[in-house]
Amino acid sequence: MAFPTNMDPALEVAPTSEAALRIQLAACFRLVAHFGMDDLIYNHISVRLPGPEHHFLINPYGLLFSEIDASSFVKIDLDGNKVEPSELEVNQAGFIIHSAIHSGREDALCVLHTHSEAATAISALEEGLLPLSQFAMRYQGHMGLHDYEGVAIDTDERQRLINDIGPHNTLVLRNHGVLTVGQTIQEAFILMYYFEKAARVQLLAQGAVAGGAHFAVPAAEVTDKAARQFNDHHGDIRAPGSREWPAFIRLLDRIDPSYRN
């Protein structure tokens, strides 16, 4: 059942209850699937719950993103132990990556990781994401890079993940995919959405260059200015996701409101 707009936990900017976080997190999964950034039953989005325990919610192994609803999640601690009874399991590699970022970054309420095609293609390019579009500008100087070490099942990789993301909210995982961090679920989603969009534009442009066209790359001072505008919220630019989220919720409620269950 849909909630009245003025009482809807899915519209809260920074919900403080587990129930509200579950609804927003389920919405985020459905949006990743809707925009074609999912990978079958793989990848994860996790959210840290309020309180000193450092418990967080993560999706169980085996569900498509399009199937996930608010009651689907497994609650675990930073050591991967279930803190509530559940017959569902958690993917080990997903836990290694997400627990690293949650443990190393107090501001990481939400961690989102995908293997989307365009972002993964960019992760395989030595030059990475280039400032070829306004979509890409926000990431210039604001993304980390983590070299591929194989499937992420070794616990000693966690510290290197923490080191490589540093203060940034986007981490390119070489030959693997991309990871975004948000102080809200909305922020992590929008950073992922626009990284994928920037990646697609770059791949299209690189295809055109291969056919004889030439890049028009702004001067470094211009790309630096654009990055500051996005990341320091100049003018009427707001925190990522804060404007878009209500529209996304309306979209999901029209398509299939079962994510709230």
Side-chain angles (χ1 to χ4, degrees):
M1 183 181 74
F3 293 83
T5 300
N6 63 349
M7 298 174 58
D8 190 344
L11 294 176
E12 297 175 24
V13 174
T16 56
S17 72
E18 179 176 334
L21 284 167
R22 282 178 173 270
I23 292 173
Q24 285 201 3
L25 184 58
C28 191
F29 276 94
R30 296 291 185 97
L31 288 167
V32 170
H34 176 76
F35 289 106
M37 297 185 289
D38 53 341
D39 177 16
L40 299 178
I41 62 169
Y42 303 100
N43 291 149
H44 302 82
I45 313 170
S46 58
V47 65
R48 190 177 63 235
L49 293 171
E53 299 89 356
H54 285 89
H55 292 165
F56 58 103
L57 301 173
I58 196 166
N59 49 307
Y61 209 4
L63 292 183
L64 298 169
F65 276 29
S66 58
E67 296 180 294
I68 288 175
D69 60 34
S71 61
S72 298
F73 304 112
V74 181
K75 189 186 298 187
I76 59 177
D77 62 22
L78 282 174
D79 294 318
N81 302 308
K82 297 176 189 176
V83 298
E84 290 182 352
S86 175
E87 296 180 357
L88 302 171
E89 298 300 326
V90 173
N91 174 256
Q92 185 178 2
F95 164 69
I96 293 291
I97 293 170
H98 287 248
S99 66
I101 307 303
H102 280 291
S103 65
R105 289 277 298 274
E106 281 297 318
D107 63 333
L109 179 119
C110 181
V111 178
L112 198 169
H113 170 44
T114 71
H115 299 157
S116 55
E117 286 91 341
T120 303
I122 293 298
S123 79
L125 298 178
E126 185 176 349
E127 60 267 31
L129 188 68
L130 299 172
L132 299 180
S133 67
Q134 183 166 272
F135 302 127
M137 299 300 176
R138 73 168 75 228
Y139 304 97
Q140 302 306 307
H142 292 270
M143 56 185 163
L145 180 66
H146 179 71
D147 286 333
Y148 187 65
E149 300 185 20
V151 178
I153 56 177
D154 298 324
T155 56
D156 64 357
E157 188 175 355
R158 286 188 290 193
Q159 188 57 53
R160 292 186 289 278
L161 286 160
I162 294 168
N163 294 343
D164 289 339
I165 194 170
H168 305 307
N169 287 338
T170 302
L171 180 64
V172 177
L173 303 166
R174 281 280 197 213
N175 312 104
H176 182 176
V178 68
L179 177 151
T180 58
V181 172
Q183 295 185 43
T184 64
I185 293 169
Q186 301 97 309
E187 179 178 24
F189 175 77
I190 284 294
L191 288 175
M192 184 63 69
Y193 175 86
Y194 279 114
F195 191 98
E196 179 71 5
K197 202 169 185 71
R200 290 176 183 174
V201 170
Q202 178 172 325
L203 294 172
L204 287 169
Q206 287 173 319
V209 168
H214 300 280
F215 287 142
V217 182
E221 58 267 24
V222 175
T223 62
D224 290 345
K225 175 184 177 181
R228 288 194 304 272
Q229 289 172 322
F230 279 114
N231 289 283
D232 297 339
H233 306 156
H234 291 186
D236 67 349
I237 296 174
R238 296 181 183 175
S242 58
R243 270 202 182 94
E244 301 93 339
W245 197 250
F248 285 139
I249 295 300
R250 292 193 300 271
L251 173 67
L252 290 176
D253 285 340
R254 288 195 302 272
I255 296 171
D256 180 4
S258 67
Y259 71 93
R260 297 173 176 272
N261 296 340

